[in-house]
Amino acid sequence: LKGIIAAAGIGAIIKESLDAGGALQQSFGGLDTLYGEASQAAKDYAKEAAKAGISMNDYAEQAVSFGASLKAAFKGDTTKAVEAANTAIMDMADNAAKMGTPLESIQNAYQGFAKGQYNMLDNLKLGYGGTKTEMERLLKDAQKLSGQKYDLDNLGDVYEAIHVIQEDLKLTGVAADEASETFTGSFGAMKAAATNLMASLTSGNIDNIGPYLTQLISSTETFLFKNLMPMVGRLISYLPQVISTVFTNIGTLLSNAASKTGSFLPVATKFIAEFRTSIVKSLPALIKG
């Protein structure tokens, strides 16, 4: 029995589920504490975030990390704070997806903004350096685009100004698009959905796991049938042609080199031709095996 459990990875799955469930309990508890009655809206956003490759726990942890600063920015209006947090978290995901910056670096930048620190503004790659002066320039540029004045001392304004700039640069919604259209993005969405399901099995916060199963099945289908398998199919389709071209070029190079020695030319040419033919004929069986 121990061997079967080990081979199936059941122990690891149970541990991961417990870890995910415990983390979710803690982060959702933080949402309750910070956002009060508006916390359910934050939880709903967290459940949908897997579509952009963000697990519920990762979402909730980010919403908690700057929740107090957003509440202060909106003078205690938790509903507005939740909306601002959601916009910021989605903007972070979009930025990482488009610019290629590690998400953690962008999250660190946003958390720095909540503390009045702007040295990591350049992590966002929006064309602004990592200084307070550059953040002020960003706010002014956002004001030109939206017609709204933004206050550097108001975190809600800072996050909204960044959103305006990213929207102007066509970054909005990129993470969700990549989660359905690209190999890496769809894999991230599938991974987030799997984490959500494991957390839901153990957290005690979720009565119905049906939506999480549906989420996982849908994201897995997208990853396998819209991204992975088409990529593998194209690889298999073109590989024989690539190999044939490579050996043809090698044969040409060897022929040119062998022409200087005379007698080596017929042997080299015959060897390359036979070897290339053998590889191409054997390729389907090798791939299948």
Side-chain angles (χ1 to χ4, degrees), residues 19-32:
D19 289 345
L24 188 64
Q25 283 182 326
Q26 186 171 6
S27 60
F28 269 24
L31 292 179
D32 290 335

Side-chain angles (χ1 to χ4, degrees), residues 18-284:
L18 290 173
D19 289 345
L24 188 64
Q25 283 182 326
Q26 186 171 6
S27 60
F28 269 24
L31 292 179
D32 290 335
T33 300
L34 283 170
Y35 296 104
E37 293 181 358
S39 65
Q40 186 56 51
K43 293 174 185 177
D44 290 341
Y45 281 133
K47 294 171 186 176
E48 293 297 317
K51 294 178 181 178
I54 308 170
S55 72
M56 290 189 294
N57 185 58
D58 287 344
Y59 182 102
E61 286 180 345
Q62 285 303 308
V64 168
S65 69
F66 41 65
S69 297
L70 284 176
K71 276 180 63 178
F74 291 105
K75 297 180 172 52
D77 189 328
T78 54
T79 298
K80 289 183 178 179
V82 165
E83 294 301 321
N86 182 64
T87 297
I89 294 169
M90 291 298 105
D91 281 346
M92 285 188 272
D94 288 336
N95 190 292
K98 186 67 173 181
M99 300 303 190
T101 306
L103 182 58
E104 184 179 359
S105 296
I106 299 172
Q107 291 171 340
N108 289 338
Y110 270 75
Q111 290 169 9
F113 304 155
K115 302 173 185 175
Q117 300 169 357
Y118 309 105
N119 58 303
M120 288 185 284
L121 174 58
D122 55 345
N123 286 4
L124 275 57
K125 298 180 181 178
L126 298 176
Y128 301 90
T131 65
K132 179 179 179 181
T133 301
E134 283 292 272
M135 178 59 86
E136 291 172 338
R137 183 167 72 89
L138 184 151
L139 298 185
K140 290 179 181 178
D141 289 345
Q143 181 178 343
K144 293 175 185 177
L145 291 169
S146 69
Q148 178 180 336
K149 183 176 177 59
Y150 299 101
D151 182 359
L152 183 66
D153 295 324
N154 185 300
L155 184 62
D157 281 4
V158 170
Y159 285 173
E160 178 59 26
I162 294 172
H163 177 70
V164 169
I165 295 297
Q166 292 205 166
E167 196 168 44
D168 183 61
L169 293 173
K170 311 299 183 186
L171 301 188
T172 305
V174 169
D177 289 341
E178 291 205 354
S180 62
E181 298 173 359
T182 70
F183 178 87
T184 302
S186 61
F187 180 79
M190 181 178 68
K191 182 179 178 181
T195 301
N196 288 352
L197 177 60
M198 288 192 294
S200 71
L201 292 172
T202 56
S203 66
N205 288 321
I206 301 161
D207 296 326
N208 182 11
I209 66 169
Y212 301 96
L213 281 169
T214 301
Q215 189 180 68
L216 178 58
I217 292 170
S218 176
S219 59
T220 301
E221 180 182 11
T222 298
F223 172 69
L224 289 177
F225 298 111
K226 293 185 179 180
N227 291 281
L228 177 61
M229 292 180 69
M231 289 176 69
V232 172
R234 288 191 291 270
L235 175 63
I236 293 174
S237 174
Y238 289 116
L239 200 54
Q241 179 182 342
V242 171
I243 292 175
S244 178
T245 302
V246 167
F247 279 104
T248 297
N249 290 333
I250 291 175
T252 301
L253 290 173
L254 286 177
S255 296
N256 291 336
S259 63
K260 298 179 180 180
T261 65
S263 62
F264 181 67
L265 177 59
V267 176
T269 303
K270 183 179 180 181
F271 171 78
I272 292 298
E274 290 180 352
F275 188 66
R276 181 186 64 195
T277 301
S278 176
I279 287 293
V280 172
K281 286 183 177 179
S282 302
L283 187 62

